[in-house]
Amino acid sequence: MGLIAAAIAVGLGALGAGVGNGLIFGRTIEGIARQPELRGTLQTTAFIGVALVEALPIIGVVIAFIVMGR
């Protein structure tokens, strides 16, 4: 049962991060297309957002290790 819980935690974390990264970069490209002069600001904001989104799968892996340790 612990293996299934760990797999679900990691899988959902990766799925959520993939969707989040896609949305962030999609909206960033739309913003750059609309206002090219804000390219640097939008890219910086996008990279910060991606860094925060990538914390989700890391937390999922940590939860998986905790579940597997019991």
Side-chain angles (χ1 to χ4, degrees):
M1 194 66 169
L3 290 173
I4 294 172
I8 289 172
V10 173
L12 289 178
L15 180 68
V19 171
N21 286 338
L23 289 173
I24 288 171
F25 279 116
R27 300 301 164 107
T28 300
I29 292 170
E30 286 179 15
I32 291 171
R34 290 174 189 250
Q35 294 181 333
E37 66 274 4
L38 293 179
R39 180 177 183 233
T41 304
L42 291 172
Q43 278 184 335
T44 302
T45 305
F47 287 135
I48 291 171
V50 166
L52 294 173
V53 167
E54 285 299 322
L56 181 67
I58 294 169
I59 292 170
V61 169
V62 169
I63 290 172
F65 282 140
I66 291 171
V67 169
M68 297 282 295
R70 291 185 176 194

